[in-house]
């Protein structure tokens, strides 16, 4: 489980196809102090498992290897990443830590697209398009994870939602550089999904 509070922006150094899967390699620094084989790390909001690493990476950083299965490639934007792309990174939350964002599973529900960006005095409003099947799970003042970043929804429409990005989010995550037309990973609130499922089966 994650909180959607990004710890570091890493860099893709390789993505090697393996049949219908792939091995993703990411360069990182700040999240590697307690690294163990099998650790869960959210990469742009996708929960991936560390299967290897190289401590001899340039600049004192470490490269992390992740197995990415076909389902993940099909349902997220991980498969479209290229060498040099920045990615949001977050380690799994500790049981004794504060939950500063919201409950994020790292199980991407689908992808969306940046529709527009509107600068404000000290923040920026960003509108995202989302698939029709996810729209019912997104509510004004509710939570959503975009590329793994925990955000509060400020407005909703039939096939879009808006969020306000504070300067820290613009600086510390990849969302500061996402232009109109960019694809992003979306994870809706898990509580909304369970409520909807209960209503369908009751």
């Amino acid at each position: 489980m994650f909180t959607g509070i990004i710890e570091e922006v890493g860099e893709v150094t390789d993505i090697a196809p393996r049949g219908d899967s792939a091995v993703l390699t990411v360069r990182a620094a700040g999240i590697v102090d307690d690294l163990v084989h099998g650790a869960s790390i959210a990469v742009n909001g996708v929960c991936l498992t560390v299967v290897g690493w190289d401590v001899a990476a340039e600049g004192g950083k470490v490269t992390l290897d992740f197995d990415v299965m076909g389902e993940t490639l099909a349902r997220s934007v991980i498969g479209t990443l290229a060498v040099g792309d920045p990615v949001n990174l977050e380690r799994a939350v500790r049981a004794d830590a504060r939950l500063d964002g919201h409950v994020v599973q790292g199980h991407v529900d689908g992808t969306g697209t940046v529709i527009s960006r509107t600068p404000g005095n000290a923040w920026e409003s960003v509108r995202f398009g989302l698939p029709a099947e996810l729209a019912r799970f997104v509510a004004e003042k509710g939570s959503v994870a975009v590329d793994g970043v925990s955000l509060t929804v400020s407005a909703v429409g039939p096939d879009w939602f808006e969020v306000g990005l504070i300067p820290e989010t613009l600086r510390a995550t990849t969302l500061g550089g996402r232009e109109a037309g960019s694809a992003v990973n979306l994870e809706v609130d898990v509580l909304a999904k369970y409520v909807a499922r209960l209503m369908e089966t009751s």
Side-chain angles (χ1 to χ4, degrees):
M1 188 182 78
F2 306 91
T3 68
I5 304 300
I6 303 305
E7 296 184 84
E8 176 181 0
V9 174
E11 179 185 358
V12 175
T13 61
D14 191 29
I15 182 161
R18 296 285 191 273
D20 65 350
S21 63
V23 176
L24 173 69
T25 304
V26 175
R27 182 180 294 123
I31 65 166
V32 300
D33 57 331
D34 59 354
L35 191 64
V36 296
H37 186 86
S40 293
I41 294 179
V43 180
N44 274 3
V46 180
C47 179
L48 297 177
T49 301
V50 176
V51 296
W53 61 86
D54 179 5
V55 296
E58 64 182 70
K61 295 187 177 182
V62 173
T63 53
L64 309 173
D65 294 328
F66 305 93
D67 283 332
V68 185
M69 60 183 180
E71 173 75 3
T72 302
L73 295 172
R75 294 181 65 104
S76 75
V77 298
I78 292 290
T80 67
L81 292 173
V83 172
D85 282 349
V87 287
N88 295 321
L89 301 174
E90 181 192 356
R91 288 171 290 187
V93 66
R94 292 168 51 106
D96 62 348
R98 291 185 176 89
L99 187 64
D100 291 319
H102 73 283
V103 175
V104 177
Q105 294 182 299
H107 303 162
V108 170
D109 295 300
T111 61
T113 306
V114 178
I115 296 176
S116 63
R117 306 183 69 108
T118 306
N121 291 331
W123 56 284
E124 191 167 349
S125 179
V126 183
R127 179 174 290 192
F128 297 93
L130 78 165
E133 63 270 20
L134 296 183
R136 65 187 181 131
F137 300 114
V138 180
E140 187 174 345
K141 306 305 179 188
S143 297
V144 65
V146 178
D147 273 353
V149 183
S150 174
L151 299 170
T152 301
V153 177
S154 57
V156 294
D159 58 359
W160 58 266
F161 67 92
E162 287 183 357
V163 299
L165 302 182
I166 62 173
E168 177 64 12
T169 303
L170 294 169
R171 180 198 66 79
T173 76
T174 61
L175 296 185
R178 291 283 187 260
E179 300 177 348
S182 297
V184 293
N185 291 322
L186 299 176
E187 181 183 335
V188 298
D189 190 345
V190 64
L191 298 178
K193 289 189 288 186
Y194 277 118
V195 168
R197 180 60 176 161
L198 287 169
M199 293 179 67
E200 290 171 357
T201 57
S202 61

